[in-house]
Amino acid sequence: MSLTGHLTARIRADGPLSVADYMADCLLHPKFGYYTTRDPLGAKGDFTTAPEISQMFGELIGLALAQAWLDQGAPAPFTLAELGPGRGTLMADLLRATRGVPGFHAAMQIRLIEASPALRAAQAKALEGYAPEWLDTADALPDQPLLLAANEFFDALPIRQFLRAGGGWSEKRIGLTDGALSFGLSPAAPQPALDHRLADTQEGDLVEICEAAAPITQAIAARIAAHGGAALIVDYGDWRALGDTLQALRAHEPADPLQSPGEADLTAHVDFEALAMAAKTAGCAFTRLTPQGVFLERLGITDRARALAAPLQGEALDSLAAAHRRLTHPGEMGNLFKVLGLYPPQTTPLPGLNP
């Protein structure tokens, strides 16, 4: 049986699926799921993330977290964690950049939250010699100071979609039309979780909610609030979600989310307001949402690019310049991607970010 066959049988047995249930099967089904069956990154995959574009991204993330560690008195031991570490590229660049920070490597305990067996294998290879520990969920992080990076993690969590219908909401669901997967709507009903959106939406507006995001954020924030540390969350999205942002990407090109389930990456824009409010309920402070380009420029990416460029010429120099532009330019990733920092109240916000 294929994933399409599995989904069809599930719909015929139980009725239409929420977008969240559909995404969860497409991405994480143990036999057919997108992330459980492949390495999706790079030229041969379906998408490329910032750490794969340039070493500068991971280096600056690492130095920002290390400065937060120093600002809080260099606690030891501490957990150095990443959510959804991809091939381990960001963590490897982070570790190289922080080798010169006195005591940092001696005090760190690396923990990676990763669901994909294929990507765990790639991470083990990239981080050979560092002995990382893999965890299934953020809840499994120990109760100690936590420095954490999450780059393009929250965008892959399953979302539910609702259309405003009077004072209630109709949920967008996935059923069958002539045997093929198709979108439909449930009858309108109240949705208490969306009561706060009645004031800023109109009839027919679509709102997305990610029910998995708040518990993960709270698990991270609770450890930072209680024991110290900081988190950097980098993703595409905005302060408050509005509109249909579900998208599929296959071979670096947009695809129909309902075509070839399990064969394309499915993501949605991140609602950073929801993450910030979840962190606040756990006792954590959060920074102002900042465009990725602004954040990286404040951390000195242009100076780092110049240093890396000094011995280069020709194609290598052009490639470095293109990487710098792609990460920072407003028309590339600079404005689309945003950065949110979490930190303990009464401590210094992370470098590059304002409270």
Side-chain angles (χ1 to χ4, degrees):
M1 182 186 284
S2 65
L3 184 56
T4 301
H6 163 79
L7 291 164
T8 300
R10 189 176 172 190
I11 291 167
R12 284 180 172 147
D14 302 322
L17 303 172
S18 69
V19 174
D21 287 341
Y22 176 77
M23 285 183 71
D25 262 358
C26 286
L27 297 177
L28 295 173
H29 187 279
K31 186 175 181 183
F32 305 115
Y34 179 78
Y35 287 124
T36 51
T37 57
R38 76 200 68 213
D39 176 352
L41 293 159
K44 294 181 180 179
D46 296 305
F47 61 90
T48 301
T49 61
E52 305 290 333
I53 292 169
S54 171
Q55 69 186 70
M56 296 183 289
F57 183 82
E59 289 172 348
L60 293 173
I61 293 286
L63 291 173
L65 289 174
Q67 186 61 56
W69 178 74
L70 291 170
D71 289 342
Q72 294 180 35
F78 71 91
T79 292
L80 178 63
E82 186 176 355
L83 299 179
R87 291 175 172 166
T89 306
L90 187 155
M91 183 60 74
D93 292 339
L94 181 163
L95 291 168
R96 186 181 60 256
T98 55
R99 274 190 305 224
V101 179
F104 189 82
H105 281 211
M108 70 185 181
Q109 297 173 352
I110 301 172
R111 295 180 169 96
L112 308 176
I113 290 87
E114 178 59 68
S116 165
L119 290 176
R120 282 192 180 195
Q123 292 154 19
K125 186 174 181 181
L127 302 173
E128 192 172 0
Y130 284 104
E133 177 187 357
W134 282 270
L135 305 175
D136 292 329
T137 67
D139 284 332
L141 288 165
D143 291 324
Q144 64 183 35
L146 171 65
L147 296 178
L148 179 139
N151 179 63
E152 289 199 58
F153 171 80
F154 284 95
D155 66 70
L157 296 179
I159 57 157
R160 295 172 70 186
Q161 295 184 318
F162 295 90
L163 266 77
R164 173 81 180 270
W169 303 85
S170 292
E171 184 166 11
K172 198 170 177 182
R173 299 178 75 85
I174 295 159
L176 299 171
T177 301
D178 298 327
L181 296 169
S182 62
F183 286 111
L185 288 173
S186 70
Q191 290 289 339
L194 289 173
D195 283 350
H196 68 294
R197 299 306 305 271
L198 292 173
D200 74 323
T201 55
Q202 302 176 25
E203 183 80 13
D205 280 351
L206 187 145
V207 171
E208 298 170 339
I209 59 174
C210 178
E211 293 173 328
I216 295 170
T217 306
Q218 287 170 347
I220 295 163
R223 285 156 178 79
I224 292 171
H227 306 288
L232 281 171
I233 299 170
V234 187
D235 227 313
Y236 54 91
D238 220 320
W239 182 247
R240 181 174 277 197
L242 183 65
D244 186 351
T245 71
L246 177 68
Q247 58 186 356
L249 205 62
R250 189 175 186 185
H252 298 270
E253 295 292 336
D256 183 337
L258 299 186
Q259 291 293 320
S260 305
E263 298 294 324
D265 185 38
L266 297 178
T267 62
H269 285 211
V270 174
D271 183 339
F272 281 97
E273 181 187 35
L275 302 186
M277 293 305 104
K280 185 177 180 180
T281 63
C284 222
F286 56 88
T287 64
R288 186 175 299 165
L289 192 62
T290 302
Q292 175 179 291
V294 172
F295 172 69
L296 294 175
E297 290 292 2
R298 287 174 178 170
L299 293 182
I301 192 172
T302 297
D303 288 341
R304 179 59 177 147
R306 290 192 181 113
L308 290 171
L312 303 179
Q313 55 185 339
E315 188 175 328
L317 183 60
D318 292 342
S319 178
L320 176 67
H324 176 272
R325 177 184 171 84
R326 188 168 177 191
L327 290 174
T328 61
H329 192 275
E332 301 270 353
M333 299 173 75
N335 276 359
L336 175 64
F337 282 75
K338 311 292 195 306
V339 186
L340 180 71
L342 308 182
Y343 62 103
Q346 287 81 51
T347 65
T348 307
L350 292 96
L353 299 172
N354 296 323

